[in-house]
Amino acid sequence: MRVILSLGLSGVLYGAPHALAQSYPLKPVRIVVPYAAGGPYDEIVRVMGQRLTELWGQAVVVENRGGAGGNIGAEVVAKAAPDGYTLLIGNAGPITVNPTLYKKLPYDPQRDLAPVTMVNASRMVLSVHPSLPAKNVRELMALARANPGRLNYGSSGVGNLQHLGMELLRLQAGVTLNHVPYKGAAPAFVDLISGQVDLMFANIVGTMPHVRTARVRAVAVSSATRSPLLPDVPAVAETYKGFDIPTWSGMFVPVATPREIVAKLNADFGKVLARTDVKERFAQQGAEATPSTPEALADHVRKETVMYATVIRAAKIVAE
């Protein structure tokens, strides 16, 4: 699926590297979303795309290339011409999880894709059904330890961050939990509310209304620090040091893209992400704009890849 956010003039890049950066872009820029249309990444890209169109005077085309856990879209960009006209909005799935989760990938995120900037970051909420007596992570893990194999947790499928986050917590706490994978987060959360599963990590914005009505109890957030949306809910890291499972997105281009183009993209995305209206749109999804240098994003990718590889191997998780 393609969506053209605005029209602009097309042209051809030419000249020395400095001229490349000065003249870029001379034709529409394509941003590949590696998931089906209608998801949260569509909203992120459209918000940024509209502002980039204003900045560049060129069209930004959003192309959904879903499938294989994000691998299809990532491969499209990894194998695209390295000219700055094809970008990937990537997240943990195709960038830091799938290299270990899948036995073989048609691309290597760290070899074939060049980081441009982090875009945004959010948190998941560890929620439990109100029938469980646990009020915090320590009590929840104590309950699991006293009832090995009795507690069931839901997720939107094998190998997603809800699954990996719970497996990391289970490994750190030394407890046994039963994984119940669903085809999507929504049916899993419905079963959490009804008590069919006992606990799960879930999107913070979708969880908050149910916390307020006491349909579920929030016991922790998945990142290293608390969320301003739920300031009274501690981070898991306050109990288990080093625990940090944020949800994030970043921009990537084919690895041979000229450094001058990467630098211009980084600067222009930085301008867009600094806008108050963009920050407000992200906040509506429970996310924060988190622009970064390419080097900082590369470092994040390296560290997170190692972390998820450790969890996947220790928990013996295999892609379905």
Side-chain angles (χ1 to χ4, degrees):
M1 174 181 179
R2 291 190 176 193
V3 178
I4 298 179
L5 299 176
S6 179
L7 295 178
L9 300 175
S10 63
V12 180
L13 286 176
Y14 58 91
H18 183 64
L20 280 174
Q22 283 190 323
S23 59
Y24 172 90
L26 289 174
K27 63 180 181 179
V29 175
R30 175 175 63 148
I31 300 180
V32 174
V33 178
Y35 300 102
Y41 294 100
D42 283 9
E43 171 69 9
I44 292 169
V45 173
R46 281 170 175 75
V47 170
M48 293 190 299
Q50 289 165 0
R51 305 300 176 259
L52 289 169
T53 294
E54 296 166 6
L55 183 63
W56 291 338
Q58 292 291 345
V60 174
V61 180
V62 181
E63 181 174 335
N64 294 88
R65 295 295 293 271
N71 294 343
I72 292 175
E75 181 186 7
V76 167
V77 178
K79 295 181 178 179
D83 56 9
Y85 288 96
T86 303
L87 287 73
L88 171 75
I89 182 164
N91 65 343
I95 302 298
T96 61
V97 172
N98 293 355
T100 303
L101 186 64
Y102 289 79
K103 291 183 179 180
K104 187 177 181 180
L105 286 183
Y107 66 96
D108 182 321
Q110 296 187 54
R111 183 194 64 206
D112 300 331
L113 294 169
V116 174
T117 181
M118 189 76 82
V119 171
N120 68 2
S122 185
R123 301 160 173 84
M124 296 184 292
V125 181
L126 178 56
S127 301
V128 302
H129 188 266
S131 62
L132 265 64
K135 300 296 191 298
N136 53 54
V137 174
R138 191 176 301 281
E139 291 180 3
L140 179 60
M141 292 300 101
L143 183 65
R145 197 171 293 112
N147 300 273
R150 296 283 299 277
L151 296 184
N152 300 314
Y153 74 89
S155 83
S156 58
V158 172
N160 64 81
L161 295 196
Q162 296 171 337
H163 181 199
L164 296 179
M166 197 67 75
E167 285 299 305
L168 176 59
L169 178 58
R170 182 186 69 77
L171 290 167
Q172 288 191 330
V175 300
T176 301
L177 298 169
N178 296 323
H179 178 215
V180 182
Y182 289 78
K183 292 182 178 180
F189 199 80
V190 168
D191 274 6
L192 175 66
I193 292 173
S194 67
Q196 299 301 307
V197 293
D198 302 297
L199 65 157
M200 69 176 289
F201 276 112
N203 173 276
I204 190 167
V205 172
T207 301
M208 286 174 59
H210 302 287
V211 171
R212 295 191 184 106
T213 57
R215 291 183 176 183
V216 299
R217 181 185 305 121
V219 299
V221 293
S222 67
S223 56
T225 58
R226 297 190 181 197
S227 168
L229 297 178
L230 292 170
D232 296 329
V233 178
V236 175
E238 294 177 39
T239 302
Y240 292 98
K241 188 176 180 180
F243 188 98
D244 188 16
I245 303 287
T247 59
W248 59 273
S249 68
M251 282 291 165
F252 299 82
V253 291
V255 73
T257 301
R259 287 179 297 175
E260 294 80 11
I261 297 297
V262 173
K264 178 167 175 54
L265 283 167
N266 178 271
D268 289 348
F269 272 105
K271 293 174 184 176
V272 167
L273 293 170
R275 291 178 57 125
T276 300
D277 58 339
V278 171
K279 292 179 180 179
E280 289 175 349
R281 291 284 290 274
F282 283 5
Q284 291 171 8
Q285 294 187 327
E288 302 168 42
T290 54
S292 73
T293 64
E295 294 77 17
L297 178 53
D299 185 59
H300 175 85
V301 168
R302 283 191 295 268
K303 291 178 179 177
E304 191 170 275
T305 299
V306 171
M307 178 190 70
Y308 283 132
T310 301
V311 174
I312 290 167
R313 289 165 182 157
K316 298 180 173 60
I317 301 170
V318 178
E320 293 183 336

